[in-house]
Structures are given as C-alpha cells and as structure tokens.
Amino acid sequence: KDASIQTIDNWSEIYKIFKPFIGYKIDEICKDLNYQLGKGKNKFSNLTKEIIRKKGNENLSRDLMVSIKSNNAKKDGIIFRTIRINNKNKIQEEISLPAFSEENIRDNSWEESEFFNYLNKPFIFVIFRESNKNKLVFHDIKYYQMKDVDMQSAKKVWIDTKNKINKNRNDFIKISDKQNFHVRPHDLKGKGKNSFWINKDFVQKII
C-alpha cells in the first residue's frame, strides 16, 4: 500500500504529527526539534521534513519521507507544499509544479500527461502565517484532492499549451488571464524550461 493510498486512511495520524506545533513561531519549532533552519528557498519544505522525521512514528514517517522525495509527476506520492500567508490573510506566492518537456506534451494525451497525473495526487498544504510582528507562525495543514471542476480547468490550460507548442507559439496562459493555472518558466528569473503553476488565488479558495 503506497503513501498516496494511505493519505485518507492516515490523515488523522498525519495531522497529529503537526498539531502540537500549531501557533508556534518558526524559531520555537526549530528549538523543539533541535534543528537549524537553512537559508535557501526550500527552507520551509526542509522544516516540514524535519517535523515528520522527528515527530512521526517510524513506519508513517518513512512512508511520508519516501513520498516527499518522489514529489514529481513520474512517481507515486503525496504532494506536500508549503504556503506562506501574510498578515493580511493573503497567500504570497503561486505554487510551481515540475518543469515540463514540450516533447512530452506534444506526444501525449491529457490523461497521459504528467500534469494530469500530478494533479490527481493528494495534496497536503503546510501553512505558515505572518503574525502581527511579521514573525512566521505555523498555522495548520490542509488536505486537498483536486475535484472534477479543478481538473477541467487544468485541462483547458493544458490543451491551450499543447496547441501553442504545436504551432511554435509561446504566448501561454498567464497569471493575468485569471485561470486557476498558468504557464511560465520554472526558474523565477525567467530562464530554462516552463512549468505549470497553480495560481495563488485558487489555492486561497481551497484552503
């Protein structure tokens, strides 16, 4: 039984791992875990792994760590994504998905696509919120499985992307087009391969 199937069965156990830290500041969590928070862009993702590693039971922690390490469209697993909410209750960033190959999109149907397979996995959002003093506090975790209407929205963006790739166009759907998903370079500097991104307004609604 893989970790993605265990999500529903083990949700209460997963929640129990994180529940003791609700309302804790980042430095308080790190102190409890005897953990030094890094400075890279993945520092909160790494903190999530450390919480699971230190606070989960051995079998569940092992399964979840395998799942996190396979957070790509080619393998089974739960998708753990960290979210930061500012003191105005707004999510600060869109969520990037793995960079895609134009050849893969060109050669596959929607149901065969990596985007489809990725979105069909269960998502667990690990949420950090800014306090009044601009200190990040662990707020909660939320489980979400994409609904049919979400998948139809994603399919629309994927088909548009495929059609434009086939025509050698790069005017893909943007954030400003107000879809639930958009396409832009995976690298925040605008370089390299493109990715599908989940719009922050959509995530705001589902959490």
Side-chain angles (χ1 to χ4, degrees):
K1 199 173 185 182
D2 66 33
S4 62
I5 296 173
Q6 290 179 341
T7 306
I8 296 174
D9 295 343
N10 288 347
W11 169 242
S12 61
E13 294 178 53
I14 295 170
Y15 193 81
K16 284 178 183 177
I17 294 174
F18 292 89
K19 184 178 179 180
F21 293 112
I22 291 176
Y24 275 48
K25 297 176 184 176
I26 296 294
D27 57 349
E28 292 172 332
I29 296 173
C30 291
K31 182 178 180 180
D32 184 280
L33 299 174
N34 192 26
Y35 176 72
Q36 180 67 44
L37 187 69
K39 296 183 179 180
K41 65 179 182 179
N42 294 325
K43 61 185 179 182
F44 297 116
S45 175
N46 290 335
L47 178 58
T48 296
K49 295 175 187 176
E50 191 69 10
I51 291 172
I52 292 170
R53 187 181 295 113
K54 294 278 182 68
K55 298 300 182 178
N57 69 58
E58 183 178 352
N59 290 334
L60 180 59
S61 294
R62 183 185 63 246
D63 290 344
L64 293 178
M65 290 305 296
V66 168
S67 183
I68 290 172
K69 289 176 181 177
S70 67
N71 258 3
N72 63 68
K74 297 180 181 178
K75 299 180 180 179
D76 293 329
I78 302 163
I79 308 299
F80 278 84
R81 303 310 298 259
T82 57
I83 293 174
R84 287 182 293 165
I85 298 177
N86 64 26
N87 56 19
K88 296 181 180 179
N89 203 36
K90 297 293 184 182
I91 293 176
Q92 293 182 279
E93 301 167 335
E94 275 75 27
I95 294 177
S96 66
L97 304 186
F100 62 72
S101 159
E102 291 191 357
E103 181 179 359
N104 180 277
I105 291 180
R106 189 182 292 114
D107 293 344
N108 289 294
S109 67
W110 162 241
E111 288 80 10
E112 297 169 328
S113 71
E114 293 181 348
F115 190 31
F116 176 87
N117 290 328
Y118 197 91
L119 293 181
N120 265 298
K121 298 177 184 180
F123 281 74
I124 291 181
F125 296 105
V126 182
I127 306 166
F128 296 91
R129 184 189 294 272
E130 284 184 0
S131 67
N132 293 332
K133 297 181 180 179
N134 294 323
K135 294 283 187 180
L136 277 178
V137 171
F138 174 61
H139 176 68
D140 207 352
I141 63 169
K142 298 288 185 180
Y143 164 75
Y144 190 76
Q145 185 78 49
M146 294 288 173
K147 297 177 170 52
D148 288 345
V149 65
D150 304 329
M151 297 303 291
Q152 287 302 313
S153 176
K155 181 179 180 180
K156 180 180 177 182
V157 175
W158 185 87
I159 289 174
D160 179 84
T161 303
K162 179 171 183 171
N163 289 339
K164 287 173 179 173
I165 287 172
N166 286 335
K167 295 175 182 177
N168 293 316
R169 292 169 54 183
N170 61 3
D171 54 328
F172 302 122
I173 288 175
K174 306 182 293 294
I175 300 175
S176 58
D177 291 320
K178 302 296 183 182
Q179 305 289 327
N180 290 335
F181 308 90
H182 69 278
V183 177
R184 62 184 162 105
H186 188 74
D187 189 316
L188 292 177
K189 297 178 181 178
K191 301 176 181 179
K193 291 184 177 181
N194 286 314
S195 294
F196 292 103
W197 292 67
I198 306 176
N199 289 10
K200 61 185 179 182
D201 290 345
F202 172 64
V203 179
Q204 188 91 39
K205 289 187 292 186
I206 65 178
I207 64 168

